[in-house]
Amino acid sequence: MLTRADVATALRLPVQDVPQAFAGSPGITAVTHDSRAVGAGAAFVAVSGFKSDGLRFAASALAGGASLVVAERAWPTQDDRDADPQIAELEAAGPLPVVVVPNAREALGLLAAAVQGNPSGSMRVHGITGTNGKTTTSYVLYNLLAGILGAGKVGLSTTVEVIIDGVARPAMRTTPEAPLVQENLRRMADAGASDAVLETSSHGLELHRVTGVDYASAIFTNLTRDHLDIHGDMETYFQVKRQLFERTEGPRLSNVDDEYGRRLAEEFPGALTFGFSEDADYRITGTDLTLEGMQFTLRTPGHGDLRLEPPLVGDYNALNVAGAVAVALECGHDPVAVVDAVRGLGQVPGRFQRIPEAAEHGFTAVVDYAHTEVGLEMVLTVARRIADMAGGRLLCVYGAAGERDAAKRPLMGEVVSRIADVGIITTDDPYGEDPVTIADEVMAGADAADTRIIIDRREALLAAVAEAREHDVLIACGKGDEPFQHLPEGDVDHHDPTSIREGLTLRRQ
């Protein structure tokens, strides 16, 4: 429970700036930016959202039992009173407990951490950021640490799921809002975790969802065109990602093969690098790709050459493994234990995830989350190599998301036509946009001779499965293991692996 002094400390304000009206309350026991979630003893933080001002709901929050309102301006004004008669009723009982802060989202993170007792202070929290590879690197590091320390000693928060005390549950987004981030970390700490792996998105950094998290290590995977509808340009995008290194006290590992990763390492003199480049501190050499995984040697600055055998495919996964291994070694874990843990890695949900039932029909089926032209090029290059090794074709089912950077759509079409033998453009997550318009914009960059459009994603996957021949590789990109689609008419259930398995069942009939 936070007292008036505790609130002032958390918000980095003089105690006199926290209203006396709050002093008579029993204290803050919860924090939220959702007025519908307010209960007795809650602090309501009036966040200015993309569509509305949180102060519109402040009166409802106080009526619902909130002990404090945190806002970016004085409230209420006469305009506020005119717009909401409930305010006058509340003021009749006395002054309203409102504290003004420069940034409400930052305050939400700081209060959320304080209410939960600053759980990251009692654990080593490992942050992973970048455009591509965040989820895979997070899973690799989680499984490395779990293999060494035990599953109950490590927590995980990713795009796909949250794992606490070895129990997984679906995640709502890559980096959830600050109250849930802190609640998850508290639950991990209470379950006995010594380490937590936190996939950290640019939205999580920019919107202060991880404010209040103390990071013990950080990994930067790469930076490619994505989220420019939010960040505007690559430089702004980079500066947001850079914040993770600014917030990290321990080892910082950066992918030196990426131009932004090299720049990041140069801007943080104590940072270490990984990659295929000759000057990488953790250098990948001698990579051998098989149909089931890969082998490569990681030259380390303090532990000699380690021969690693992860059951993952692709040069980009060698980078993901190298970054995670580097952090594990820099945190003091035994190299032999790390090598053994790499050998025991499992598939990452939705990241080049194989559908094993396809092998009964003589071909390979894979789902992947790749949803940018750079991500597609990486995964399709690996899939192309596997198809060539098997002597088959490469078929790709893919689409572009709506209400996102539209400039990448024809670029995605060009990449798939250049690498794959067959491309089927379908619906990803159009949100409020017309799926047909999005598909046409992707087709503008594709070769019509080897590409067709099937708008319904399930039907597209069934068609691709029916078309696959022996030795072919079929890859469905964009959705990975997600169980839904965001359509203009609302969210609907959809799961790429399930649709592929449905197609395999139809082939047997």
Side-chain angles (χ1 to χ4, degrees):
M1 179 179 296
L2 304 183
T3 65
R4 183 185 182 210
D6 295 331
V7 170
T9 299
L11 295 179
R12 302 162 185 167
L13 296 172
V15 70
Q16 59 266 29
D17 286 358
V18 179
Q20 286 286 350
F22 166 63
S25 80
I28 299 299
T29 57
V31 58
T32 182
H33 66 304
D34 185 347
S35 62
R36 297 166 298 183
V38 164
F44 172 71
V45 181
V47 169
S48 294
F50 295 113
K51 298 181 180 179
S52 63
D53 182 354
L55 277 173
R56 289 175 51 200
F57 309 99
S60 295
L62 288 171
S67 297
L68 185 68
V69 170
V70 181
E72 293 179 357
R73 65 171 175 85
W75 181 88
T77 64
Q78 190 56 50
D79 287 342
D80 295 320
R81 295 184 182 94
D82 293 341
D84 187 351
Q86 188 178 28
I87 295 175
E89 298 176 16
L90 292 167
E91 287 184 309
L96 301 185
V98 182
V99 61
V100 178
V101 296
N103 188 307
R105 281 199 165 275
E106 181 181 30
L108 181 66
L110 294 172
L111 283 175
V115 162
Q116 297 294 341
N118 298 304
S120 63
S122 62
M123 295 187 294
R124 291 181 294 271
V125 178
H126 310 280
I128 293 91
T129 199
T131 304
N132 300 303
K134 294 190 301 296
T135 301
T136 298
T137 303
S138 296
Y139 268 96
V140 171
L141 182 56
Y142 166 77
N143 281 294
L144 285 181
L145 296 175
I148 296 168
L149 301 172
K153 290 292 186 179
V154 189
L156 174 67
S157 178
T158 73
T159 300
V160 180
E161 60 190 1
V162 176
I163 301 178
I164 300 174
D165 199 20
V167 178
R169 56 184 176 83
M172 298 302 294
R173 52 166 59 100
T174 302
T175 308
E177 293 288 356
L180 185 53
V181 168
Q182 297 295 337
E183 179 185 337
N184 286 337
L185 290 175
R186 170 47 57 199
R187 292 176 61 208
M188 292 173 190
D190 288 348
S194 60
D195 291 71
V197 178
L198 181 57
E199 183 177 350
T200 305
S201 66
S202 59
H203 292 75
L205 292 161
E206 178 77 355
L207 299 178
H208 291 281
R209 293 173 182 167
V210 293
T211 292
V213 176
D214 297 325
Y215 286 95
S217 77
I219 299 174
F220 176 86
T221 61
N222 51 62
L223 197 73
T224 63
R225 185 188 183 98
D226 200 11
H227 304 305
L228 296 191
D229 52 312
I230 300 295
H231 301 299
D233 55 58
M234 291 297 291
E235 179 61 24
T236 302
Y237 188 23
F238 171 73
Q239 292 298 329
V240 172
K241 291 289 192 184
R242 189 183 187 278
Q243 292 178 29
L244 181 61
F245 272 36
E246 295 172 353
R247 300 180 184 197
T248 300
E249 295 296 328
R252 303 179 180 97
L253 275 297
S254 186
N255 173 13
V256 74
D257 294 348
D258 178 83
E259 63 173 309
Y260 288 98
R262 181 174 290 274
R263 175 181 166 185
L264 191 61
E266 291 171 350
E267 293 181 5
F268 289 85
L272 296 170
T273 59
F274 62 94
F276 291 91
S277 300
E278 290 188 3
D279 60 344
D281 295 305
Y282 286 85
R283 185 187 174 198
I284 302 166
T285 64
T287 304
D288 296 319
L289 177 68
T290 72
L291 292 175
E292 300 301 327
M294 74 175 99
Q295 299 178 356
F296 66 89
T297 296
L298 187 65
R299 295 185 175 175
T300 74
H303 303 286
D305 290 358
L306 303 180
R307 190 63 178 172
L308 302 177
E309 301 175 3
L312 305 172
V313 297
D315 290 347
Y316 64 91
N317 271 326
L319 286 166
N320 296 331
V321 172
V325 166
V327 162
L329 293 173
E330 290 297 321
C331 288
H333 293 292
D334 178 64
V336 174
V338 171
V339 170
D340 288 343
V342 169
R343 194 177 296 115
L345 294 174
Q347 286 200 98
V348 179
R351 271 61 179 179
F352 218 89
Q353 176 186 344
R354 295 169 183 259
I355 310 301
E357 294 89 340
E360 301 172 16
H361 300 267
F363 68 93
T364 299
V366 176
V367 298
D368 195 89
Y369 189 62
H371 58 282
T372 68
E373 75 277 12
V374 175
L376 281 171
E377 179 137 21
M378 288 194 299
V379 300
L380 290 180
T381 298
V382 173
R384 175 83 269 169
R385 289 171 65 186
I386 294 174
D388 290 345
M389 290 169 66
R393 302 173 303 159
L394 175 59
L395 295 76
C396 180
V397 178
Y398 70 110
E403 300 180 4
R404 300 293 187 271
D405 179 16
K408 69 184 180 183
R409 294 172 186 172
L411 302 178
M412 295 170 69
E414 185 279 327
V415 167
V416 175
S417 285
R418 173 162 46 87
I419 301 175
D421 299 294
V422 176
I424 299 178
I425 299 171
T426 189
T427 301
D428 192 288
D429 286 324
Y431 294 93
E433 281 197 66
D434 178 11
V436 174
T437 299
I438 296 174
D440 287 342
E441 292 177 358
V442 175
M443 178 62 94
D447 184 346
D450 56 33
T451 308
R452 65 187 189 273
I453 296 174
I454 302 177
I455 293 297
D456 184 278
R457 192 172 183 94
R458 172 179 168 273
E459 293 298 328
L461 291 168
L462 294 181
V465 172
E467 186 174 340
R469 306 170 189 162
E470 189 174 5
H471 305 306
D472 283 352
V473 175
L474 163 61
I475 183 166
C477 293
K479 295 294 294 174
D481 199 47
E482 291 181 342
F484 51 79
Q485 277 185 287
H486 300 295
L487 301 180
E489 59 269 26
D491 291 358
V492 299
D493 293 337
H494 173 82
H495 187 230
D496 277 4
T498 297
S499 293
I500 291 172
R501 292 186 176 104
E502 181 184 353
L504 296 172
T505 298
L506 292 173
R507 282 179 66 118
R508 299 189 192 101
Q509 297 175 356

